[in-house]
Amino acid sequence: MNGLPENALSGLGVADGIAIGPAHVVEGGVDRVLEFRISAGRIPIEIERFQAATVTASQQLERLREQSRRIGGGAGEEMDYLLSAHASMLAGSRLTRGVEQRIRDRRINAEAAVQREIAAIVRQFKALSDPYLAARADDVRDLGRRLIRALGGERTEPFADITPGSVVVAREITPADMAAMEPGQVTGLAAEIGGADGHTAIMARGLGISAVLGVPDLVANIRQGDQVIIDGQAGIVIVRPDKATIDNYRRQRTTLLRRRRALAKLKDLPSETRDGVAVHLQANVELPIEAEQALGFGAEGIGLLRSEFQFMAAETEPDEDCQYEQLASIVRGMDGRPVTIRTLDVGFDKLPPSMVEGLPPGDNPALGLRAIRLSLLRPALLETQLAAILRAANHGPVRILLPMITTVSEIVAVRAAMVRVARKLKRRKVDIPDPLPPLGVMIEVPAAALSADALARVCDFFSIGTNDLTMYTLALDRTNEQVASLYDPLHPGVLRLMQFAVAAALRAGIPVNVCGEMAGDPRFAPLLIGLGIRDLSMAVGSIPLVKQRIRRLDTVAAAEHADMVMAQTDPARSAELLDAAP
Ligand code: PEP
Ligand code: MG
């Protein structure tokens, strides 16, 4: 095929299944623009287009500066400083003069002139011996991207012209990219960057898209339209497979689909152990389409609604009515089953396009202005979201969940905000539930697990986020393929924190569930049930598999198994015990 031989590349298999289809290669950055020659008559038109783009970019920068001033503090000041530097580069500078000259002299389109001028300035900056000035090359590049976007009149749509059934191939696929994909158009994903419990991997599992991440040199080995096979279980990407390979994988795919159909028959059977103990299985939802699928997979509710989806796909931050409509539709769709809505957890690997520029990444985004920290810093953002959630709670049982909590004071502050918002809504004669919905917290930071008894006094439930708990306990980036082999929730450090938090919840008499990826892996079910957990929330597609495992379990044997695992010091031995669990 294409005269080139079959080529197998390996990475991390992060979402099961087999995908076969043409590659849709997405290249990022400004390198993507097309360059073409223009006629002499077209020169003033291209210059005018460029000047209009500088006006649009200046307006965007001014809006962002207003936002950064609202953030305030050191971060806000730094951002404001940076943005004003960008703005001054647009005002009659070498950049603008250089672009206009290139359009005139080289007779090229405005986008290409921007690209060439930016490349020239970056080269000069990089050649400087001063490291501070050399680093400013990134600012110039950013500004170039902004101008090129403004010239296009709209955000780039990397998936707009995708052939249905494609396999998306990129250096990096972000959660915002995932939100921009049309479900059903994409059958597989492969990228050079990413770990198994990053949000891109989680979204792929939720959407049932086979995925392999952390594949070195991927993009250099695949051309647009090449036939590609993704084996999400084995973590293999096969480029330009020959006929025998395709036939082999088609057979495997048929067997897999048959197995999934058989599992689907479990949907209406109760989720209970052999000794009759109910274990509630709920769905994690990243995108509304998963909420639509939840009942079909037998979910008893939505245990984690990651509200970031409302911000990911939008050009601007959604207002209260817009958030309310989307949430209410999900709550109504669950037909009286509980829905746990988590407040915004942006920052780190999840950056909605509308917030990218207003959120300075800092050197360490996982430890920075993420989740509840951002919400508390921007009261209008938090209160708008709480208002939308309280209104949606009128349509069915809703709980509110707070991400990345570390201290009691954060919970107290959010509860005060919730009461304030409720009062305002009542004054507006808007119906909201009385009493207000339960307010719970994610246990996903070691400090939260270790002070779980204190947190339990001021909140109504716990949800254990094993993804971040593992990351923050082991100091390992969950999205970084280079440390993926070290990322292990069976580390005794992680398990002891979980055990401590569960015990604190049981003592305080508040509900506790697990909503991290551990919950959706049937291998962990005996351990989690043995630790006393009776509520698990996971990707919709995992529910039948976990239910099958639970129906074979006995809680007494599971408790003995958990005791044995908790006594281990070597995670590899714990893994062996898991494989031999009753
Ligand atoms: C977690 O950290 O385990 C979790 C469920 O939250 P998220 O994956 O959205 O960070
Ligand atoms: Mg988390």
Side-chain angles (χ1 to χ4, degrees):
M1 207 167 278
N2 292 337
L4 286 169
E6 175 176 307
N7 187 8
L9 307 165
S10 58
L12 300 167
V14 302
D16 282 0
I18 287 161
I20 307 175
H24 179 89
V25 183
V26 182
E27 290 166 58
V30 289
D31 311 326
R32 210 165 9 151
V33 304
L34 270 183
E35 178 171 320
F36 51 88
R37 245 183 104 68
I38 54 172
S39 64
R42 177 94 202 158
I43 291 173
I45 301 172
E46 288 298 298
I47 290 183
E48 212 171 289
R49 280 182 66 231
F50 171 63
Q51 287 169 346
T54 61
V55 172
T56 309
S58 301
Q59 287 164 347
Q60 288 171 352
L61 288 167
E62 194 38 52
R63 273 199 302 277
L64 290 170
R65 286 187 70 187
E66 275 163 28
Q67 276 180 23
S68 62
R69 283 184 214 117
R70 278 204 302 273
I71 290 178
E77 252 172 50
E78 175 70 10
M79 195 65 206
D80 188 37
Y81 171 76
L82 206 77
L83 292 168
S84 84
H86 283 202
S88 62
M89 277 193 270
L90 286 174
S93 64
R94 133 113 207 241
L95 168 66
T96 55
R97 283 195 308 276
V99 171
E100 290 181 17
Q101 195 175 348
R102 280 173 197 276
I103 295 174
R104 250 191 314 266
D105 297 354
R106 290 179 164 259
R107 292 226 199 145
I108 52 176
N109 55 318
E111 289 88 343
V114 170
Q115 179 171 277
R116 282 180 173 266
E117 185 61 29
I118 293 285
I121 299 177
V122 165
R123 261 197 311 277
Q124 286 171 10
F125 272 38
K126 290 261 179 207
L128 297 172
S129 50
D130 180 336
Y132 177 80
L133 285 176
R136 300 279 71 74
D138 289 340
D139 294 341
V140 178
R141 255 198 230 101
D142 279 355
L143 187 64
R145 286 198 192 99
R146 180 182 300 285
L147 281 169
I148 287 172
R149 275 205 307 268
L151 276 164
E154 56 188 43
R155 206 147 51 90
T156 42
E157 300 285 357
F159 308 111
D161 56 347
I162 197 163
T163 311
S166 290
V167 170
V168 171
V169 173
R171 191 172 136 62
E172 180 176 14
I173 300 168
T174 65
D177 291 334
M178 297 289 299
M181 287 176 199
E182 197 60 46
Q185 303 274 48
V186 177
T187 53
L189 300 177
E192 294 181 10
I193 289 178
D197 276 355
H199 285 97
T200 301
I202 292 175
M203 288 173 93
R205 287 195 283 274
L207 293 170
I209 300 177
S210 321
V212 180
L213 302 181
V215 189
D217 302 325
L218 176 77
V219 175
N221 279 291
I222 303 184
R223 294 169 320 182
Q224 202 67 258
D226 272 349
Q227 186 80 351
V228 173
I229 296 175
I230 300 286
D231 181 341
Q233 171 87 47
I236 297 174
V237 178
I238 301 171
V239 191
R240 299 175 293 272
D242 58 31
K243 186 173 175 318
T245 309
I246 294 182
D247 289 346
N248 174 12
Y249 272 99
R250 283 210 176 116
R251 275 192 300 276
Q252 288 189 42
R253 190 172 57 180
T254 310
T255 313
L256 252 171
L257 291 175
R258 204 175 299 134
R259 214 176 291 150
R260 276 194 198 153
R261 272 198 295 275
L263 271 174
K265 298 205 176 103
L266 289 174
K267 172 180 163 288
D268 297 317
L269 295 178
S271 171
E272 60 180 31
T273 58
R274 276 196 354 238
D275 49 335
V277 175
V279 178
H280 304 289
L281 302 184
Q282 302 197 60
N284 285 357
V285 167
E286 303 255 353
L287 294 170
I289 181 161
E290 293 164 90
E292 287 162 27
Q293 294 166 347
L295 294 180
F297 280 92
E300 293 173 48
I302 293 176
L304 172 62
L305 179 58
R306 292 179 165 107
S307 61
E308 296 81 69
F309 80 87
Q310 303 195 281
F311 293 71
M312 283 294 185
E315 290 273 341
T316 52
E317 287 179 27
D319 63 13
E320 180 190 314
D321 282 343
C322 170
Q323 292 186 43
Y324 159 71
E325 296 291 347
Q326 285 181 326
L327 295 176
S329 135
I330 291 175
V331 173
R332 276 195 298 264
M334 289 308 287
D335 226 357
R337 292 169 187 80
V339 178
T340 301
I341 304 175
R342 191 172 68 181
T343 62
L344 198 57
D345 180 14
V346 299
F348 182 43
D349 68 333
K350 282 180 289 189
L351 279 182
S354 61
M355 288 183 161
V356 164
E357 280 130 348
L359 257 185
D363 285 340
N364 237 325
L367 307 181
L369 205 50
R370 182 184 166 186
I372 200 66
R373 300 169 182 180
L374 178 72
S375 298
L376 288 172
L377 206 66
R378 289 187 46 193
L381 178 75
L382 175 66
E383 292 186 9
T384 303
Q385 194 174 27
L386 288 174
I389 299 175
L390 291 182
R391 287 170 63 191
N394 244 351
H395 301 278
V398 160
R399 306 193 305 172
I400 301 178
L401 176 60
L402 308 177
M404 225 191 150
I405 287 290
T406 50
T407 66
V408 162
S409 61
E410 290 163 334
I411 308 169
V412 172
V414 176
R415 203 182 280 283
M418 182 164 81
V419 170
R420 226 173 19 245
V421 169
R423 226 181 280 132
K424 277 192 209 156
L425 288 172
K426 279 188 197 149
R427 273 204 298 274
R428 274 166 50 193
K429 306 262 178 282
V430 176
D431 286 338
I432 53 168
D434 185 14
L436 292 173
L439 184 66
V441 303
M442 292 289 294
I443 301 289
E444 55 182 348
V445 176
L450 288 167
S451 49
D453 39 1
L455 301 183
R457 277 185 226 124
V458 291
C459 75
D460 304 314
F461 65 94
F462 283 167
S463 190
I464 301 180
T466 53
N467 312 334
D468 279 318
L469 190 60
T470 305
M471 169 165 97
Y472 290 120
T473 305
L474 303 183
L476 287 167
D477 182 346
R478 60 194 261 198
T479 67
N480 185 341
E481 67 286 352
Q482 296 173 60
V483 288
S485 62
L486 302 172
Y487 177 96
D488 188 354
L490 283 179
H491 189 291
V494 180
L495 293 183
R496 286 173 195 173
L497 288 170
M498 287 174 65
Q499 188 180 38
F500 188 81
V502 172
L506 297 179
R507 269 198 311 276
I510 61 169
V512 55
N513 74 344
V514 173
C515 66
E517 293 302 289
M518 248 180 137
D521 184 339
R523 267 193 344 139
F524 293 115
L527 172 63
L528 298 178
I529 304 306
L531 287 175
I533 292 157
R534 298 289 179 264
D535 199 332
L536 301 169
S537 192
M538 64 200 77
V540 281
S542 302
I543 293 175
L545 265 177
V546 175
K547 188 190 274 189
Q548 186 186 45
R549 184 69 183 95
I550 281 168
R551 289 175 57 82
R552 287 204 224 115
L553 262 183
D554 173 90
T555 51
V556 178
E560 283 165 8
H561 165 74
D563 281 346
M564 256 174 16
V565 174
M566 294 308 295
Q568 303 308 312
T569 50
D570 175 10
R573 175 68 192 131
S574 300
E576 281 170 17
L577 287 173
L578 243 53
D579 291 333

